[in-house]
Amino acid sequence: MGSVGHVEAQRLRFEQPLPLRSGASIRDYELVYETYGRLNADKSNAVLVCHALNASHHVAGTYAGQDKSEGWWDNLVGPGKPLDTDRFFVIGINNLGSCFGSTGPMHLNPETGRVYGADFPVVTVHDWVDAQARVLDHLGIQRLAAVLGGSLGGMQALDWSLRYPERMGHCIAIATAPSLSAQNIAFNEVARRAIITDPDFHGGHFYAHGVVPKRGLRVARMIGHITYLSDDVMEQKFGRQMRAAELGYSTQDIEFQIESYLRYQGDKFSEYFDANTYLLITRALDYFDPAREHGGDLSRTFAPARCKYLLASFTTDWRFSPARSREIVKALLDNKLDVSYAEIDAPHGHDAFLLEDPRYHGVLRAYFNRIAGEFGQ
Amino acid sequence: MSVHGVMEHIAALVPAGSRVLDLGCGTGELLAWLQKHKGCTGYGVELDDANLLQCVQRGVNAIQLNLEEGLAIFEDQSFDVVLQLETLQHLRNAEQMLRETARVGRIGIVSFPNFAHWPNRLQVLLGRMPVTRTLPYEWYDTPNIRVGTHADFEILARKNRLRVLDSFGIQDGRMVRTRPNLMASMAVFKFERG
């Protein structure tokens, strides 16, 4: 099993406006993407990998001259890996509104000639899926062998199967949900308030002030991080470990290792992530609810679906719990669609979908083998 | 006893082209066979990770669920056939599962070890719990927490208003229709809601 090696991102410019779910549209936008492996002659081996909140088009491989630049799903995607780039042509696309290269809030608004900032239109999972379809049109790929994603990426994979049922063979949705729960939205709202109430946020137009609302971003990330981990894993990793041997009797200094860890994660995140992007992406999560147009009936929602499904969840994931995946499984069963579902008993909480559990990767490997068999690889 | 022998007799009970739910489907062997040879479609339910993986490898739809949690995920009468093969005896809520089987499927097919097979009777008569090829466990570590007989099931079926469409025993891979309660280590019932 190897790495796809050094990779380079590619950039596509779209002049044709993209109509958005909100009624607005975005024109003159760019999307960056990466591909791994080779597209076969009849273009039947393409797999789209959709990214989650803080990830990007950089799914696998490394950038030349940059240490520790492995893609976010490098343990899954590569030669001989479960999503084997010797057989599949894998595509990662950075979503609109992101801060990793595709047009986002830090770019110039062609309408005003000024940086978008808070004026960047609200984008939805649906809009991202439409934008991704345009990239595939450009690559000449009419039909995907599969769309794969975890968490928010899983929502995109599900939406693909509803929006473009004829354009894909398989939908693989990991650690995801048919919509956010009130608790999920609540966490997102706390994170957003942390950012918006940071004095350096300036209503989203902080770029012009030469500042970054880092305090807000740090807190947002700390909250997010808590929800990605299970209670067990936090207990096991940190427990009540102290920084020093003696209590410092301080209310403001770091006393416990978990505090140190969260602050470190927050600091790191605030150095590279854009505050407006964080607001946009958490809103896209909140809004995702394909059943909304069908009176909340998830079974009716999946009536147009045609592809085959693999779903997986993790028992200790309380952010996107197995019960939410089972809701999707039920809707697929009600529509007599082909579906397999793995409920992996892993201790790592929501983060498990990015880790290398042998049971989890074993199921993905077996499923991709099956897909490869369909186009004779 | 040959697994293939048992599978053959059970597969024969499943009408061609059926939509099948196999509760406790194991490695998906029977479902794969039914898909390939009888044009059936459907799903297996399996709890064990290694078995689930084999189902995916075989190209059988498999749902990882604990049967003890019930079948709420499946709608009434949404399958032509629900199979419950050598599963019932492991379940705490065996009667509830039997009712659920009849709710979800038009036809239910169950198999389980027959405690009244004569070698078992003999061992009990000699004062010991039976340990045989079909019941290979010691009494203190057996996963078979519901031990019943061919005759017992007939009574349970009646109690739950299930109409038995067919029943027989299986011994050494062969179908036993004469005195199956005495002569067969495995009991098979095909039933519908009465």
Side-chain angles (χ1 to χ4, degrees), chain A residues 104-256:
Chain A
M106 69 298 300
H107 294 121
L108 283 184
N109 180 350
E111 306 294 338
T112 63
R114 289 185 302 139
V115 171
Y116 275 110
D119 299 332
F120 194 87
V122 169
V123 281
T124 63
V125 167
H126 211 72
D127 300 328
W128 287 335
V129 166
D130 283 349
Q132 289 159 3
R134 285 187 173 186
V135 175
L136 299 178
D137 292 342
H138 170 85
L139 295 173
I141 297 164
Q142 183 45 44
R143 192 171 191 275
L144 290 159
V147 183
L148 162 68
S151 190
L152 175 57
M155 291 175 170
Q156 292 160 60
L158 292 174
D159 205 54
W160 255 96
S161 73
L162 301 175
R163 180 88 170 131
Y164 300 106
E166 73 293 348
R167 287 192 76 168
M168 59 197 284
H170 297 264
C171 172
I172 304 166
I174 316 289
T176 195
S179 63
L180 291 197
S181 66
Q183 189 194 48
N184 292 151
I185 296 170
F187 281 118
N188 283 347
E189 175 58 5
V190 175
R192 280 192 295 267
R193 290 314 294 168
I195 291 170
I196 291 166
T197 57
D198 184 325
D200 285 338
F201 184 64
H202 295 286
H205 295 288
F206 51 89
Y207 315 94
H209 294 78
V211 292
V212 172
K214 284 191 179 176
R215 282 162 288 185
L217 276 167
R218 284 189 196 112
V219 175
R221 181 57 169 174
M222 288 166 83
I223 294 158
H225 220 87
I226 296 167
T227 70
Y228 303 147
L229 298 178
S230 68
D231 191 21
D232 284 354
V233 105
M234 230 189 234
E235 197 56 36
Q236 183 200 332
K237 253 175 133 168
F238 305 103
R240 293 185 53 84
Q241 281 173 59
M242 311 286 295
R243 256 261 267 245
E246 301 296 325
L247 296 183
Y249 295 101
S250 160
T251 55
Q252 295 182 28
D253 293 339
I254 290 175
E255 287 279 77
F256 295 93

Side-chain angles (χ1 to χ4, degrees), chain A residues 309-310 326-327 329-330 332-345 359 362-364 366-367 370, chain B residues 19 41-43 46-47 49 52-53 55-65 69 72-75 78-79:
Chain A
Y309 290 80
L310 173 66
R326 280 188 231 129
E327 286 177 40
V329 172
K330 174 160 196 341
L332 300 173
L333 291 169
D334 288 347
N335 284 287
K336 301 186 183 342
L337 291 160
D338 280 307
V339 52
S340 284
Y341 169 58
E343 202 167 288
I344 315 278
D345 188 13
R359 292 160 297 177
V363 168
L364 284 181
Y367 199 79
R370 201 165 133 186
Chain B
R19 205 173 140 69
T41 56
Y43 311 87
E46 179 57 43
L47 183 59
D49 292 323
L52 187 90
L53 177 62
C55 290
V56 175
Q57 284 166 341
R58 275 183 210 274
V60 165
N61 291 322
I63 314 286
Q64 193 163 26
L65 287 180
E69 288 167 21
I73 201 165
F74 302 105
E75 289 291 325
S78 53
F79 290 89

Side-chain angles (χ1 to χ4, degrees), chain B residues 85-104:
Chain B
L85 308 178
E86 297 184 52
T87 308
L88 212 56
Q89 74 268 19
H90 304 312
L91 298 176
R92 193 167 292 279
N93 58 2
E95 185 179 11
Q96 173 67 12
M97 275 309 298
L98 191 62
R99 264 186 252 135
E100 281 286 271
T101 299
R103 174 184 69 79
V104 168

Side-chain angles (χ1 to χ4, degrees), chain B residues 149-181:
Chain B
T149 70
H150 195 107
D152 285 333
F153 190 88
E154 286 171 0
I155 295 163
L156 183 65
R158 241 192 329 272
K159 178 179 173 233
N160 286 284
R161 296 201 180 85
L162 303 177
R163 184 182 307 134
V164 174
L165 302 170
D166 195 5
S167 80
F168 51 83
I170 296 176
Q171 183 56 39
D172 296 323
R174 279 193 301 275
M175 190 184 282
V176 178
R177 288 201 174 273
T178 312
R179 307 185 73 184
N181 198 39

Side-chain angles (χ1 to χ4, degrees), chain A residues 3 5-7 56 58-74 264 268 272:
Chain A
S3 161
H6 290 323
V7 294
S56 71
H58 184 44
V59 178
T62 52
Y63 294 136
Q66 284 183 44
D67 280 350
K68 294 186 175 174
S69 60
E70 283 85 12
W72 58 272
W73 222 346
D74 197 71
Y264 170 75
K268 206 169 68 168
Y272 69 83

Side-chain angles (χ1 to χ4, degrees), chain A residues 285-364:
Chain A
L285 272 159
D286 293 354
Y287 281 154
F288 181 71
D289 183 11
R292 191 168 180 270
E293 288 166 35
H294 303 275
D297 185 336
L298 200 61
S299 296
R300 268 206 288 144
T301 307
F302 276 90
R306 294 292 172 267
C307 71
K308 299 177 179 187
Y309 290 80
L310 173 66
L311 275 86
S313 71
F314 302 91
T315 49
T316 55
D317 183 352
W318 55 280
R319 189 176 167 114
F320 289 140
S321 71
R324 303 311 310 280
S325 283
R326 280 188 231 129
E327 286 177 40
I328 303 165
V329 172
K330 174 160 196 341
L332 300 173
L333 291 169
D334 288 347
N335 284 287
K336 301 186 183 342
L337 291 160
D338 280 307
V339 52
S340 284
Y341 169 58
E343 202 167 288
I344 315 278
D345 188 13
H348 307 98
H350 188 57
D351 259 357
F353 91 90
L354 293 170
L355 303 176
E356 222 180 308
D357 183 287
R359 292 160 297 177
Y360 164 45
H361 273 199
V363 168
L364 284 181

